[in-house]
Amino acid sequence: MTTLAVERTLSDRAERTDAAAYWELLMNLTKREVKGRYSQSLFGVGWAVAQPLATMAVFTLVFSRLANIVSDVPYPIFAYTGLVPWFFFLNAVNSGTMSLVQYRNIVTKTYFPREIIPLAQVCSRLIDLGAAASLVAVLMAYYGVGVTRWALLVPALFLLLVAFTTAVTLLTSAANVFYRDVSPVVQIGLQLWLYVTPIAYPFAKVPLQWRRWIAMNPLSGVIEGFRSAVLYGREPDWTLLAVSASLTLVSLVGAFVLFKRLDRYFADVI
Amino acid sequence: MSSSPTAIRLEGVSKRYRAGRSRTFVDLLASTFDRVRGRERDVYSAARGRIDATVHALKDVSFDVPEGTGLGIIGSNGAGKTTLLKLISRVTWPTSGRVRVAGRVVSLIELGAGFHPELTGRENVYLGAGLFGLTRREIDRRFDEIVQFAEVERLIETPMKRYSSGLYARLGFSVAVHSHPDIVLVDEVLAVGDAAFRRRAIESLRGLIADGKTVLFISHDMWNVRRLCDHIIWMDDGRVRAAGAAGEMVDRYMEDVNVRALANRQDPLQSHRGGTGEIRYTGIEILDRDLRPAGRVSEGGALVVRAGYEAVSRVASPVFQVAIVDVDSGIVVATATSSAADAPPMTERSGAVDCIFESLPLRPRQYALRMTITDVHQLVSYDVITSGPRFVVTATNGASALSADGDGVVSLPYRFDHHLRAMS
């Protein structure tokens, strides 16, 4: 029998195995999440598409009545393109916030890097994101929107979206371990967040004096970026994107550092 | 102990927990407010209750465990045994002091804690072993072994919500011991399985120790502790009360438990108490042939149960009953002072009665006493102690106990005769 080449000297470190094993654990927990969510559900991942579609319908009824809020593309596809990344963010943060508390059973009984749990929540929502995003292509064909080379930006934008979602989820999940008040606060916060993100309206229609604040929301750059790359087929607003990218990087690093400083107390207070 | 390298080293480890309910944001504001106003940090409030009370789970604990040791950890509830395992497994961190560990740790604080009921047995093996830090390829290689050990071949493609709790635990244990750990931490988890599984589990843990792995074993079953461990640490109120050879520690611990059971009215003994109370046992002593207190009896040796009693009102000819109980198989021996001959003359309100077993041919393991006092028709129970003092029966020679594996309940004298018959 071969054994792992883990050196057996006394150590203070908590990790005692290689990163590959933890990567697989992340994948397994993700699978567990997805399977748990869609088992005994007839419509399955279809719900991931239904959610933004329904909101798109509501937005179309309400906002498209406002005189030419969007001029370049039909309003439904405009709204849907913003709602797809939004619902990924919303669902990941919502379930991620509760995740450590839900996995209390494992957290208090075995050691493994704790960030795997909220990360699995984010990863498990990628399937929903993929399903919902593929409908954008259908809508584009339906409304006759062409694809340009700017569509090549999409993977980078996805990465930015996932990075920012991860940062927020790490923070809220850790905070929720200590104070359960975090979860309702997050839910209310997310409701408001929807309206300070250019989803129902374009960034260009934001009054000048507020633009600076809307731009400070990293999701603004991401969502506007998606629309430029996919719907408008033109160069994105680089300044907006740069602000979004740098804020995302800062928050991701900050959230991770904070998470690792707090995680040794999780099992005691959870 | 020996010159083998150290697997676990604890240096001055203390652990404090905050007791009471968890804090809410309001509590945080309140305590911050109090601190700003220069008050004590311990916040008392009639409405909110005490929130900053701390529990000292471990107090300055230090010890080394060499590789290849089976170390038992015994002690009463709340002595800090589980906290110890959680610190070693890095689930939690010490408030002060240092915990160092060499190699990979697998903790069995709860069997199958990481399993998901919606996933199949196969998927859960990968998930559970992954929690212990194994890669897919390593699990692939051990998969058949894991399934065979747990005996779940038939159900391996079935969602685990259809498993019985025993099967669940079996698969959990199997995954853990096949995760090629360097250190295994076992916390009283073997109580769930049936006797056959428990025996196999102990065997596999013994195999790990023989392979030079380190096993820390928490159990209240002194028989299993002795079977698995050469050394024992006795924890008491967050400290190491004593450490040493398993046999000696078990004796001292059992004696202490039984003495305290009598001395302390809030002991578990009292909580299992029933009966109408006209007459009650006041003290139960387990003595050897020479009427010295004993926590253990050797296989086939003598045992004296001395029970003091006291009557509140006058009771005509009470019947004293003493039964020896095995946790697995129930009552093993039942005795009663039923005949008029050995019924005590109830002239006095208090006294003592000895139940003497000249020879106790019981298999080595842990037993408990079940004691009752009834009326002469055994219709009214005056006093019922369902789980009384415990004692251990030890093998007359240590080696044979392990090979015979403690099967059966009674050891009777026997021999085998061989009759050879020529085949025609």
Side-chain angles (χ1 to χ4, degrees):
Chain A
M1 187 195 294
T2 53
T3 42
L4 269 189
V6 177
E7 58 177 305
R8 285 205 279 159
T9 50
L10 284 180
S11 154
D12 292 299
R13 282 178 58 238
E15 279 83 7
R16 299 194 189 93
T17 188
D18 47 334
Y22 288 139
W23 173 255
E24 281 172 15
L25 177 60
L26 173 62
M27 293 298 106
N28 269 325
L29 279 177
T30 302
K31 205 194 282 174
R32 165 179 164 160
E33 270 309 309
V34 172
K35 226 171 155 166
R37 197 178 314 140
Y38 295 122
S39 77
Q40 301 194 352
S41 149
L42 283 176
F43 201 41
V45 79
W47 293 114
V49 182
Q51 208 182 9
L53 265 184
T55 312
M56 176 194 87
V58 174
F59 277 13
T60 305
L61 281 174
V62 177
F63 292 103
S64 61
R65 308 282 169 102
L66 303 175
N68 62 9
I69 186 168
V70 179
S71 45
D72 306 1
V73 288
Y75 187 84
I77 191 170
F78 169 87
Y80 189 79
T81 314
L83 285 166
V84 168
W86 168 254
F87 272 109
F88 167 76
F89 176 75
L90 176 85
N91 291 329
V93 172
N94 254 338
S95 59
T97 304
M98 289 305 294
S99 61
L100 284 166
V101 175
Q102 262 163 7
Y103 280 80
R104 172 192 296 152
N105 214 21
I106 319 182
V107 170
T108 55
K109 277 164 192 129
T110 53
Y111 178 79
F112 55 91
R114 272 58 173 104
E115 61 271 23
I116 289 180
I117 289 179
L119 283 179
Q121 295 290 337
V122 175
C123 289
S124 74
R125 295 294 176 179
L126 285 173
I127 301 207
D128 298 8
L129 177 64
S134 59
L135 198 71
V136 173
V138 177
L139 287 176
M140 283 169 76
Y142 180 78
Y143 287 108
V145 181
V147 180
T148 68
R149 64 196 167 96
W150 290 108
L152 292 172
L153 263 182
V154 167
L157 291 165
F158 267 125
L159 207 64
L160 208 54
L161 172 67
V162 173
F164 183 66
T165 306
T166 304
V168 175
T169 308
L170 283 175
L171 277 180
T172 57
S173 64
N176 195 52
V177 169
F178 295 92
Y179 300 104
R180 296 296 139 76
D181 316 60
V182 169
S183 176
V185 166
V186 164
Q187 279 180 31
I188 296 167
L190 286 170
Q191 279 182 31
L192 301 178
W193 201 330
L194 170 63
Y195 296 99
V196 297
T197 308
I199 293 168
Y201 53 87
F203 184 70
K205 287 277 154 82
V206 175
L208 267 178
Q209 70 267 32
W210 294 344
R211 268 198 203 174
R212 170 207 307 242
W213 302 108
I214 300 291
M216 297 285 274
N217 170 4
L219 289 178
S220 301
V222 172
I223 286 171
E224 280 295 318
F226 272 123
R227 285 187 182 134
S228 300
V230 176
L231 296 187
Y232 311 146
R234 62 177 182 230
E235 205 176 357
D237 180 340
W238 291 113
T239 325
L240 192 62
L241 206 54
V243 170
S244 165
S246 33
L247 283 176
T248 297
L249 189 68
V250 169
S251 54
L252 185 62
V253 171
F256 189 73
V257 169
L258 196 67
F259 189 92
K260 290 311 275 181
R261 292 188 67 163
L262 291 175
D263 72 354
R264 61 174 59 180
Y265 304 109
F266 285 174
D268 295 347
V269 294
I270 205 162
Chain B
M1 297 182 202
S2 70
S3 60
S4 29
T6 307
I8 302 167
R9 173 170 291 164
L10 271 75
E11 293 163 88
V13 172
S14 296
K15 177 71 186 177
R16 282 190 294 274
Y17 287 108
R18 193 175 22 239
R21 69 205 177 75
S22 50
R23 285 153 64 105
T24 63
F25 189 64
V26 177
D27 296 330
L28 178 73
L29 288 181
S31 67
T32 313
F33 186 63
D34 285 348
R35 228 174 312 164
V36 168
R37 295 197 354 191
R39 280 209 219 132
E40 262 297 287
R41 259 206 83 208
D42 266 27
V43 180
Y44 273 99
S45 150
R48 288 180 284 130
R50 186 178 174 165
I51 47 175
D52 275 351
T54 52
V55 169
H56 230 117
L58 287 179
K59 301 163 188 165
D60 193 25
V61 172
S62 302
F63 60 79
D64 272 22
V65 186
E67 279 179 14
T69 309
L71 178 72
I73 300 173
I74 61 176
S76 50
N77 292 329
K81 303 187 296 293
T82 300
T83 305
L84 207 56
L85 291 204
K86 286 190 173 179
L87 285 168
I88 293 168
S89 67
R90 283 284 186 259
V91 164
T92 179
W93 293 70
T95 313
S96 64
R98 194 170 181 201
V99 178
R100 281 185 295 165
V101 169
R104 168 146 53 189
V105 182
V106 162
S107 58
L108 284 170
I109 297 175
E110 187 181 305
L111 290 176
F115 289 166
H116 192 287
E118 294 288 351
L119 300 183
T120 66
R122 176 185 297 278
E123 290 165 322
N124 269 311
V125 167
Y126 283 89
L127 182 63
L131 275 172
F132 292 135
L134 259 69
T135 61
R136 164 165 287 273
R137 204 174 319 149
E138 289 169 315
I139 304 167
D140 284 341
R141 231 183 302 141
R142 293 186 161 64
F143 187 80
D144 291 340
E145 233 180 304
I146 292 173
V147 174
Q148 270 164 29
F149 183 87
E151 295 178 330
V152 291
E153 291 96 332
R154 262 183 334 107
L155 292 165
I156 198 63
E157 308 298 347
T158 310
M160 282 195 70
K161 59 183 173 184
R162 313 251 180 259
Y163 282 33
S164 70
S165 59
L167 273 183
Y168 207 93
R170 245 150 61 182
L171 195 55
F173 183 86
S174 183
V175 166
V177 294
H178 290 97
S179 301
H180 59 213
D182 299 305
I183 296 166
V184 188
L185 312 173
V186 185
D187 187 359
E188 198 67 91
V189 286
L190 301 181
V192 275
D194 57 20
F197 171 70
R198 216 172 319 169
R199 191 160 53 242
R200 271 191 312 138
I202 293 277
E203 273 321 306
S204 67
L205 291 174
R206 285 168 63 84
L208 286 175
I209 295 171
D211 285 348
K213 313 296 184 196
T214 308
V215 174
L216 262 63
F217 187 70
I218 293 183
S219 181
H220 291 286
D221 183 335
M222 291 303 136
W223 166 243
N224 275 337
V225 173
R226 282 209 55 179
R227 247 195 325 174
L228 192 62
C229 307
D230 314 316
H231 294 272
I232 284 179
I233 285 181
W234 175 5
M235 296 294 297
D236 189 18
D237 192 29
R239 293 177 207 278
V240 176
R241 173 147 168 191
E248 187 204 334
M249 286 298 115
V250 166
D251 288 352
R252 285 177 56 186
Y253 176 68
M254 294 303 296
E255 208 176 304
D256 182 72
V257 165
N258 288 338
V259 166
R260 273 198 297 184
L262 298 177
N264 186 358
R265 298 225 128 229
Q266 275 123 37
D267 197 87
L269 174 89
Q270 301 298 327
S271 63
H272 292 291
R273 201 122 182 201
T276 52
E278 283 89 337
I279 176 169
R280 286 217 186 269
Y281 288 115
T282 52
I284 298 160
E285 287 175 277
I286 294 175
L287 309 172
D288 63 11
R289 187 185 298 278
D290 304 319
L291 301 182
R292 284 188 311 239
R296 68 169 163 169
V297 184
S298 63
E299 196 173 355
L303 174 76
V304 177
V305 178
R306 173 164 290 178
Y309 58 83
E310 192 174 335
V312 179
S313 56
R314 207 182 143 68
V315 179
S317 48
V319 176
F320 295 88
Q321 297 174 327
V322 177
I324 295 173
V325 182
D326 171 25
V327 190
D328 285 337
S329 44
I331 291 182
V332 177
V333 182
T335 66
T337 59
S338 54
S339 72
D342 49 20
M346 288 301 290
T347 47
E348 298 296 332
R349 283 205 163 172
S350 62
V353 57
D354 282 354
C355 176
I356 301 157
F357 298 94
E358 287 292 351
S359 162
L360 208 59
L362 295 182
R363 296 295 299 149
R365 73 180 65 147
Q366 179 173 267
Y367 297 90
L369 292 176
R370 180 171 299 175
M371 315 267 302
T372 49
I373 309 177
T374 65
D375 72 322
V376 72
H377 305 294
Q378 300 196 16
L379 292 175
V380 181
S381 295
Y382 299 126
D383 193 9
V384 179
I385 301 171
T386 46
S387 179
R390 288 159 182 250
F391 63 95
V392 170
V393 173
T394 55
T396 29
N397 90 47
S400 77
L402 294 177
S403 53
D405 221 359
D407 269 344
V409 179
V410 187
S411 34
L412 296 174
Y414 64 85
R415 67 166 196 271
F416 284 98
D417 282 348
H418 294 270
H419 301 282
L420 299 175
R421 190 170 51 183
M423 301 289 281
S424 52

